[in-house]
Amino acid sequence: MIFGFSVFKNGQLGMQYRREIDGLRAIAVLPVILFHAGFSWFSGGYVGVDVFFVISGYLITTILIDELDKGSFSITRFYERRAKRILPALLFISALCIPFAWFLLLPEQFKDFSQALISIAIFSSNILFWRKEDYFAQDAEENPLLHTWSLAVEEQFYIFFPVLLLLLWRFGRNPVFLTLVIFSFFSLILSEWASKTHPSANFYLLPTRAWELGAGAICAFILSKGKKYGNNTLSSFGFLLILIPVIIYDENTPFPSFFALPPVIGASLIIIFGNLDGITKRILSTRILVSLGLISYSAYLWHQPIFAFARVQSFEPLPYTTMALLSLASLVLAWLTWKFVETPFRNRKTSYFRTSKQVLLVSACSMLIVIAFGSYGSLTNGASFRSVGLDALSYEPDNRALQKQSWDILKQITGDESYSVENNKSDEESWFYGNTTQHKILLVGNSHSKDLFNVLYNSEYVRDQISISRYGVQIRYLADPTHKFYRSKNLENSDIVLISSRYSEEDIDKLKTVIENLKQKNKIVAVSNNIFEFKQFNGYRNLADYVLWKAERSTDLEDAPSLVTNRVNAKHFEHYKMGENSPRAEKANQRIKELAQGNQFLILDRMDYVCDENQKKCFALDENYNKFFYDYGHHTLSGAEFFGRRISKISWLEQLLKPQNNLVSKTEHYP
């Protein structure tokens, strides 16, 4: 466990108590808390987790070496100790989160929370979040259990490492040490490679984190014969190697990778050379840091749920004063948990359960209860029958539910329940929906091509003239002329390719090449520009949610839907005309416009159907409070239905369907 070890006093288990290690744990946990609190000076505070990995690897290996040397190592006793140190606080705090989650989280959030409970109990939350959650995404701030990924990494390490050490011990200490160094080196190289190719897996999974735990284990071997290597210069340098990344790293730093070396080396230098009485040891051995180190495990467990539930209640970022108070509250709760939950279980004399059988039985029962509740929340689709948030007419507060629903049309047409942004089996097949005797338009791109497909699907005017299909792919990949897209039946049978995406800079850089590739296939090409990106708020809330939330305090929503709807749509128009919060879209659209001038392709402006200049509205809500967007600009099914009627009304595709005009650039509208 991160923070799961005490630094045993008075030589217990052969370890000499080192106050500075407890102080080092405090130096690690505080940046993590302040990073999650949003303090910009701690933009790299997440490296504290890496420091804890080193400490954990050092402590566990020191214990194992001592017991293996004495011939007293027992797998059963080892896991008993881990259960007594890890599970009480973890299960206690997880259980306390349940009622807050029940009353505050929207169904999709509650479903994620429930699945996280299950994964915590089976030591696999890192795998769950690897599949579902971007650690640095804004909505991740509202996940109360996201931080447990690091606990799972260590729990998995605990499963394999002691067994490996036991098997190798018969060959002698030096071969074991050499094997450990080799494994750690290859884990580091894997991490550097994966940081570029599989960043999410790299962040969450054990194979690319094992070298950090291995660094701590190497420290344990170096110090295992009792020799001290005190060096004030090296330990002070190690201190700086931890603090500097805390300040200069941020969410854009590829991590872990070689960038994780400074904090890992820094922690290792302090562990190896911090024995000598000097400035580093004196700082880390101060009473306040040692005390914070002792409660660091509980502090780590408490801070994320406190921050997440506070953010769920607010549309706007919480002020720094509030986050500072919540950070302090996490430390107070950590002390209480350490005093009344952790310590009684850890101390044999005061432990609630004396025998190994009792500990393991209670642990197993507790985990089964957590799994049972988590299964209930997951199977009931996040207990969707609960009434959470604003309740007015057809308003759906859960934008993630609307996001999932937006894929229903394509799932139904293709018969693929797993249909998503890209890499769909049906992409390679030949299928078109609509009037197959007319123009065949293939929509190509990321999730925004899904939105445009839904809009055209809902337009009777369009369906009478064309048939539509979709190929899900990021545009930048299509610069490669050997991409499987160019061999697909969907492309082969299409007349027109309509590119629709949220374009990254790399997409725009390669768009010219993509268009040239398509023209070589004798396809007419059109590009729908980047949709304007309306303001978003904490988590999954959008501008319509915000205006409705404000209106709830001054208006009876049931009696004044027209008034409120007009207010929402006018606010969206105001944001659009002022260009608020959309520099990305504006920059992308300007570059697309420049490309069109020299490459002869048609630009379709999606804001033509989203907004009405004469009415000074951007349509985002109807009078039943059905939202047309589930985030900054993706369409809901209600939005696609409404916009389907709009494109018929304004003849949005007319330029594209006129053969004499299909290579003529259209005048765009920019905020």
Side-chain angles (χ1 to χ4, degrees):
M1 267 332 283
I2 290 178
F3 324 111
F5 286 100
S6 289
V7 183
F8 299 109
K9 299 184 179 182
N10 302 323
Q12 185 181 352
L13 290 174
M15 291 183 66
Q16 181 181 2
Y17 176 58
R18 296 179 58 184
R19 289 176 60 87
E20 72 274 11
I21 301 298
D22 269 334
L24 181 60
R25 296 185 347 173
I27 293 299
V29 75
L30 289 175
V32 173
I33 293 174
L34 295 173
F35 165 71
H36 285 146
F39 291 100
S40 58
W41 284 10
F42 297 87
S43 60
Y46 53 84
V47 304
V49 173
D50 305 83
V51 174
F52 280 117
F53 283 151
V54 178
I55 296 172
S56 185
Y58 163 69
L59 292 172
I60 188 175
T61 307
T62 300
I63 294 172
L64 291 171
I65 290 174
D66 180 73
E67 293 187 342
L68 288 167
D69 276 341
K70 294 177 179 178
S72 60
F73 176 71
S74 165
I75 287 286
T76 302
R77 189 167 63 250
F78 174 82
Y79 289 123
E80 177 194 349
R81 289 198 303 263
R82 299 289 69 75
K84 291 172 72 173
R85 284 170 174 78
I86 296 168
L87 295 178
L90 177 61
L91 295 176
F92 173 73
I93 294 172
S94 297
L96 288 181
C97 287
I98 290 174
F100 291 95
W102 181 270
F103 289 108
L104 297 177
L105 298 185
L106 295 170
E108 286 297 324
Q109 292 175 313
F110 190 78
K111 184 176 181 179
D112 286 348
F113 172 82
S114 300
Q115 291 173 347
L117 286 177
I118 298 172
S119 67
I120 286 171
I122 59 176
F123 313 134
S124 62
S125 60
N126 61 327
I127 298 172
L128 174 70
F129 296 134
W130 160 52
R131 303 297 299 177
K132 300 187 67 170
E133 197 81 66
D134 178 357
Y135 182 78
F136 296 102
Q138 185 182 25
D139 48 55
E141 294 179 341
E142 294 189 358
N143 189 327
L145 300 176
L146 179 64
H147 61 323
T148 61
W149 73 268
S150 56
L151 310 185
V153 169
E154 291 205 25
E155 288 158 354
Q156 292 157 14
F157 178 74
Y158 292 163
I159 292 172
F160 298 110
F161 184 67
V163 176
L164 179 64
L165 208 59
L166 181 63
L167 293 174
L168 295 176
W169 199 253
R170 69 187 71 180
F171 300 107
R173 187 179 296 233
N174 289 337
V176 173
F177 178 75
L178 180 61
T179 301
L180 179 61
V181 171
I182 293 172
F183 270 109
S184 299
F185 173 76
F186 280 107
S187 173
L188 170 60
I189 299 302
L190 178 64
S191 177
E192 173 64 19
W193 171 78
S195 69
K196 299 178 177 65
T197 58
H198 301 84
S200 183
N202 179 53
F203 187 90
Y204 283 116
L205 301 184
L206 175 62
T208 52
R209 291 285 188 172
W211 69 275
E212 299 174 348
L213 292 147
I218 291 169
C219 293
F221 271 92
I222 293 173
L223 297 175
S224 63
K225 294 183 179 180
K227 185 177 179 180
K228 292 186 177 181
Y229 298 89
N231 186 303
N232 282 322
T233 301
L234 289 175
S235 60
S236 298
F237 181 59
F239 199 68
L240 289 175
L241 286 177
I242 295 172
L243 295 184
I244 291 174
V246 167
I247 298 170
I248 67 173
Y249 287 5
D250 59 24
E251 62 185 32
N252 297 314
T253 304
F255 207 87
S257 61
F258 290 158
F259 282 99
L261 281 169
V264 170
I265 292 174
S268 300
L269 290 175
I270 291 174
I271 290 171
I272 296 172
F273 298 106
N275 284 316
L276 189 66
D277 187 25
I279 185 170
T280 301
K281 183 173 182 178
R282 286 198 294 271
I283 291 173
L284 294 177
S285 299
T286 56
R287 184 173 182 177
I288 186 169
L289 288 181
V290 171
S291 298
L292 288 172
L294 289 173
I295 66 170
S296 58
Y297 175 44
S298 287
Y300 184 78
L301 291 177
W302 270 116
H303 81 281
Q304 177 67 11
I306 290 174
F307 294 167
F309 289 129
R311 285 172 169 138
V312 165
Q313 290 295 287
S314 175
F315 269 82
E316 297 174 332
L318 296 172
Y320 288 126
T321 51
T322 300
M323 297 310 298
L325 290 173
L326 293 175
S327 300
L328 182 61
S330 69
L331 296 179
V332 173
L333 290 171
W335 182 85
L336 292 171
T337 306
W338 172 79
K339 179 74 173 177
F340 298 107
V341 179
E342 284 191 73
T343 302
F345 275 95
R346 290 184 179 186
N347 191 319
R348 283 188 179 276
K349 294 181 180 180
T350 61
S351 179
Y352 299 126
F353 307 101
R354 302 298 177 88
T355 67
S356 300
K357 185 177 180 180
Q358 288 177 323
V359 171
L360 294 175
L361 181 62
V362 171
S363 298
C365 290
S366 300
M367 287 189 288
L368 286 174
I369 292 172
V370 169
I371 290 173
F373 185 86
S375 299
Y376 169 77
S378 181
L379 293 173
T380 58
N381 200 30
S384 56
F385 53 84
R386 296 171 301 127
S387 178
V388 182
L390 179 65
D391 183 17
L393 299 178
S394 300
Y395 176 71
E396 170 56 77
D398 194 342
N399 286 315
R400 288 182 62 190
L402 295 174
Q403 177 189 28
K404 287 188 174 183
Q405 292 169 14
S406 71
W407 292 95
D408 286 352
I409 293 174
L410 279 159
K411 286 180 179 179
Q412 180 180 359
I413 290 175
T414 62
D416 181 3
E417 279 302 313
S418 63
Y419 191 95
S420 61
V421 178
E422 54 188 331
N423 297 320
N424 300 295
K425 292 181 294 184
S426 58
D427 287 343
E428 311 305 320
E429 301 168 358
S430 178
W431 64 271
F432 282 85
Y433 177 86
N435 187 339
T436 56
T437 63
Q438 299 294 323
H439 306 283
K440 293 185 176 66
I441 297 180
L442 177 62
L443 293 143
V444 178
N446 58 22
S447 53
H448 285 278
S449 66
K450 171 263 300 180
D451 285 353
L452 204 46
F453 182 96
N454 289 348
V455 170
L456 300 183
Y457 171 89
N458 279 284
S459 172
E460 291 184 12
Y461 169 79
V462 170
R463 286 204 307 271
D464 288 341
Q465 301 185 66
I466 67 172
S467 57
I468 53 176
S469 186
R470 176 182 180 268
Y471 192 105
V473 65
Q474 301 295 342
I475 301 304
R476 55 190 173 273
Y477 300 150
L478 301 185
D480 178 4
T482 65
H483 192 283
K484 62 182 180 179
F485 166 71
Y486 295 108
R487 301 186 301 274
S488 68
K489 293 294 183 181
N490 253 352
L491 177 63
E492 180 182 329
N493 294 331
S494 65
D495 305 311
I496 302 169
V497 174
L498 175 52
I499 298 172
S500 182
S501 207
R502 188 191 193 204
Y503 306 98
S504 67
E505 288 190 13
E506 188 179 359
D507 289 332
I508 301 296
D509 290 339
K510 296 184 176 180
L511 184 58
K512 179 180 178 181
T513 303
V514 173
I515 292 171
E516 290 173 350
N517 290 342
L518 288 168
K519 287 185 175 180
Q520 288 179 5
K521 295 286 185 180
N522 297 315
K523 303 301 176 184
I524 297 169
V525 183
V527 176
S528 98
N529 60 10
N530 222 357
I531 197 166
F532 179 83
E533 298 180 8
F534 294 105
K535 186 175 181 180
Q536 285 187 274
F537 299 83
N538 280 348
Y540 285 90
R541 300 173 181 85
N542 62 20
L543 184 58
D545 296 315
Y546 176 73
V547 178
L548 284 168
W549 175 68
K550 297 280 283 188
E552 184 185 21
R553 286 150 177 75
S554 59
T555 308
D556 188 339
L557 298 181
E558 298 286 351
D559 293 338
S562 296
L563 175 66
V564 175
T565 298
N566 287 334
R567 189 183 306 173
V568 170
N569 294 338
K571 178 61 71 173
H572 279 74
F573 186 79
E574 176 187 334
H575 277 233
Y576 169 58
K577 297 307 292 183
M578 293 180 66
E580 291 185 17
N581 203 50
S582 197
R584 172 195 176 109
E586 186 174 4
K587 181 179 178 181
N589 291 345
Q590 183 60 38
R591 291 191 61 191
I592 291 172
K593 181 179 180 181
E594 293 167 359
L595 278 172
Q597 292 172 354
N599 292 278
Q600 288 192 308
F601 61 85
L602 182 68
I603 299 177
L604 296 174
D605 188 352
R606 295 175 65 189
M607 297 311 293
D608 285 348
Y609 69 71
V610 170
C611 301
D612 187 316
E613 296 274 350
N614 295 325
Q615 297 185 49
K616 298 189 183 305
K617 291 180 180 180
C618 287
F619 301 100
L621 194 75
D622 67 17
E623 293 189 3
N624 289 318
Y625 296 154
N626 290 301
K627 289 182 289 188
F628 296 164
F629 302 101
Y630 58 75
D631 56 10
Y632 63 86
H634 284 97
H635 304 331
T636 63
L637 289 182
S638 294
E641 184 177 348
F642 178 85
F643 295 135
R645 296 193 297 270
R646 278 279 298 167
I647 65 169
S648 300
K649 181 178 180 180
I650 67 173
S651 302
W652 187 70
L653 281 181
E654 183 177 356
Q655 286 285 96
L656 183 59
L657 300 182
K658 287 183 178 180
Q660 68 273 24
N661 292 331
N662 58 38
L663 295 180
V664 180
S665 180
K666 173 178 177 289
T667 301
E668 304 84 1
H669 301 281
Y670 294 99

